[in-house]
Amino acid sequence: MKIADQTSAALTESKTETFVSYNRNDSGSVSEVARELRQRGVDVWMDESNLVPGERWQNEIASALERAVSVAVCIGRHGLGGWQKLELELALAKHPEHGKRIVPILLPDALRTLTLPPYMACDLRGLDRAAQLDNLAAVLLADIEWPARVAQPKRRAAGKA
């Protein structure tokens, strides 16, 4: 078996924890965020580090996105890119009720006037970058069954106030 086939097969068998979606024009900042998340123990899938030569990248991206438990939507100065918008649409189709966490990450150069997906963002535009990334990593590393644990109103026992 060729190395590319082995790599592709290994990626197909594994459950990717976090798919990183980004605008190609922001790849430098995004690569740094991905590196920092990996240092914190997050299993990150990013096309530029996971695709191997000769793979059909559209198929591999769709497959990685399907396997992902979380989707980190990185938004920088260039806003959402064309392919990134498609990735976000696919992720939204598998929203939290179906097991996908969607976490917008505002890169240091993100504009203040952005329109964001309807999810709480990790904001890296301030001075507390390390704390923001620590919190983000904790969220991404949390129990993957989190949608089932979403707070439900607790029923009180009959006769108790």
Side-chain angles (χ1 to χ4, degrees), residues 14-28:
S14 70
K15 181 113 177 139
T16 300
E17 180 138 358
T18 301
F19 178 94
V20 177
S21 176
Y22 65 101
N23 184 324
R24 178 86 40 216
N25 294 317
D26 295 317
S27 65

Side-chain angles (χ1 to χ4, degrees), residues 15-18 37 40-43 68-71 99-103 133-150:
K15 181 113 177 139
T16 300
E17 180 138 358
T18 301
L37 288 173
R40 288 168 170 82
V42 177
D43 178 16
V69 173
S70 302
V71 179
K100 296 278 187 221
R101 294 179 199 172
I102 299 173
V103 182
L133 287 170
D134 288 343
N135 288 338
L136 176 59
V139 167
L140 296 175
L141 291 169
D143 180 1
I144 64 169
E145 299 298 323
W146 76 279
R149 294 185 296 114
V150 172

